[in-house]
Amino acid sequence: MAAEAQAQAYVPTDADFKLKNNTDDIAIDNNFGAQSYWKEVRKKFFHNKGAVVGLVFVIILTVFAIVGPMMTPYGYAEQTNGKNLAPRIPGIENLGIFDGHETMVTSTGTKTVNGYAQNKLYSTFYWFGTDKYGRDIFTRTWTGARVSLIIAVAAAIIDMVIGMSYGLISGYFGGRTDMIMQRILEVANGIPRLVVVTLLLLILKPGMITIIFALMLTEWIGMARIARAEMLKLKEQEFVLASKTLDAGSFFIIFKEILPNIIGPIITQVMFSIPTAIFTEAFLSFVGLGIPVPQCSLGSLISEGYNSFTTHPYQIIPPIIVMALLMLSFNLIADGLREALDPKIKE
């Protein structure tokens, strides 16, 4: 019986070990699956047309903020004899536009004047015109854009460090530590930001450092809340428990294990905070609490142009356009990053 059973035993053949070609059935995109996370983020970001347009405008405006003041022979505080001169651009003036003429509204009607001809400045060109003190608006606009960008980026980076650290520590330790830190945050959030900034600027000497410090005290709250929410979602994950099992320190886990996994929302929040800082700085400068004269920012230029808007409207247009483009561009970039960094949108 044993020999008969052994004779009837099934003998495997080569056909039994033939691989099943079911690639079409499971439909795995090996190329897509092999892409790194940041390569995928870059791909999705540059497929977003709005984000790309915003990035291009930010680069262009940043380049002009750096080299713009050097494109003319005038300093941002230099006063000339030509006051309230309309824009005049070489080459384009032959087309009948930007030729130094402006139409002024007076009590007796309207009249067209050319300050260049009146002051015999036949070979002088001011691309954006001059203000009531004879200062070149082109130079002052790009100098102001540089100041506003420096303030906004510096304040956003400092707020990121403070708010991110505060939120991560609060969410990780939890319990009484979290309760105390959140009550402090609620008290800080309950005080109107404009009141804090105004009082601080009235006490300290106005200037770029003071504005950055004022924004630092008020703009970190949103970042702290986002960081805490992300921490609460991740601190019970398996990789965190594994690090605790290996006796890793708390701050090592916070900043080495958890922080890299929430860098997406952090970067997005930073990009959204930059236009907010630009607007806040512009508002403070507009009401006279910002950059002291003769220095300038976009807000102070808008304030100066507002005073002569009815007679010389061209003085307020350049800083308004530059500030609007900066804020819109950073918001477009932030929206693009939010979509690109969200792993749930992976297709």
Side-chain angles (χ1 to χ4, degrees):
M1 294 295 294
E4 183 179 356
Q6 185 175 5
Q8 296 178 355
Y10 178 75
V11 179
T13 64
D14 293 339
D16 296 325
F17 297 96
K18 184 177 180 181
L19 295 176
K20 183 178 180 181
N21 186 13
N22 62 343
T23 304
D24 297 333
D25 298 336
I26 59 178
I28 294 180
D29 189 346
N30 294 323
N31 182 43
F32 182 78
Q35 291 182 2
S36 66
Y37 172 73
W38 291 108
K39 183 178 180 180
E40 179 187 344
V41 167
R42 185 171 64 253
K43 180 180 178 181
K44 289 194 292 185
F45 178 82
F46 285 103
H47 280 182
N48 189 321
K49 295 181 180 179
V52 173
V53 171
L55 179 62
V56 171
F57 271 104
V58 166
I59 293 174
I60 292 174
L61 293 173
T62 303
V63 170
F64 270 99
I66 296 173
V67 304
M70 297 181 288
M71 296 174 64
T72 62
Y74 313 106
Y76 71 89
E78 180 181 349
Q79 299 183 15
T80 63
N81 294 328
K83 299 179 180 179
N84 295 321
L85 297 179
R88 187 185 183 200
I89 303 176
I92 300 180
E93 62 172 343
N94 298 325
L95 302 176
I97 57 175
F98 298 111
D99 56 357
H101 288 85
E102 65 172 322
T103 301
M104 299 182 61
V105 179
T106 64
S107 58
T108 58
T110 60
K111 65 177 182 179
T112 301
V113 298
N114 190 322
Y116 296 89
Q118 294 176 355
N119 293 280
K120 298 180 179 179
L121 301 173
Y122 302 110
S123 60
T124 303
F125 297 91
Y126 294 103
W127 296 349
F128 289 171
T130 60
D131 60 11
K132 61 182 179 180
Y133 298 109
R135 298 175 297 194
D136 181 32
I137 297 178
F138 182 88
T139 303
R140 290 179 63 78
T141 297
W142 296 119
T143 302
R146 179 194 299 176
V147 172
S148 297
L149 279 172
I150 291 174
I151 292 175
V153 174
I157 293 175
I158 295 174
D159 292 337
M160 177 192 69
V161 174
I162 296 177
M164 178 185 66
S165 302
Y166 193 95
L168 291 176
I169 294 173
S170 175
Y172 179 80
F173 289 102
R176 181 175 297 180
T177 301
D178 183 47
M179 182 187 67
I180 295 174
M181 295 181 71
Q182 290 307 303
R183 298 297 81 75
I184 295 174
L185 186 144
E186 290 174 1
V187 171
N189 189 47
I191 303 175
R193 300 182 182 182
L194 182 59
V195 174
V196 176
V197 173
T198 303
L199 291 177
L200 185 61
L201 292 176
L202 290 175
I203 295 173
L204 300 178
K205 182 180 179 181
M208 185 185 300
I209 302 300
T210 303
I211 294 179
I212 293 175
F213 184 66
L215 293 175
M216 179 187 69
L217 293 179
T218 57
E219 299 296 329
W220 60 273
I221 296 176
M223 179 69 71
R225 287 177 170 173
I226 291 176
R228 177 178 179 270
E230 295 294 327
M231 172 61 76
L232 293 177
K233 289 194 303 183
L234 294 179
K235 72 174 186 178
E236 298 298 334
Q237 295 292 323
E238 288 80 1
F239 70 93
V240 177
L241 297 177
S243 297
K244 292 180 179 180
T245 304
L246 296 174
D247 200 24
S250 298
F251 287 95
F252 178 86
I253 296 175
I254 292 173
F255 295 105
K256 293 291 186 179
E257 298 289 345
I258 297 179
L259 178 58
N261 290 276
I262 65 172
I263 197 66
I266 297 297
I267 293 176
T268 303
Q269 179 64 20
V270 170
M271 297 306 299
F272 274 118
S273 65
I274 290 178
T276 302
I278 291 176
F279 176 79
T280 304
E281 182 278 325
F283 174 76
L284 293 173
S285 298
F286 182 82
V287 299
L289 297 175
I291 300 297
V293 293
Q295 298 179 2
C296 59
S297 67
L298 294 177
S300 62
L301 292 175
I302 294 174
S303 178
E304 294 174 1
Y306 174 79
N307 296 328
S308 58
F309 176 71
T310 56
T311 56
H312 307 287
Y314 62 87
Q315 297 182 6
I316 197 175
I317 294 176
I320 283 181
I321 293 178
V322 171
M323 188 179 74
L325 287 176
L326 278 175
M327 295 182 63
L328 177 61
S329 300
F330 275 113
N331 277 308
L332 289 175
I333 293 175
D335 283 330
L337 286 174
R338 179 173 57 185
E339 295 179 5
L341 291 168
D342 190 352
K344 296 180 181 179
I345 305 182
K346 185 174 181 179
E347 298 178 358

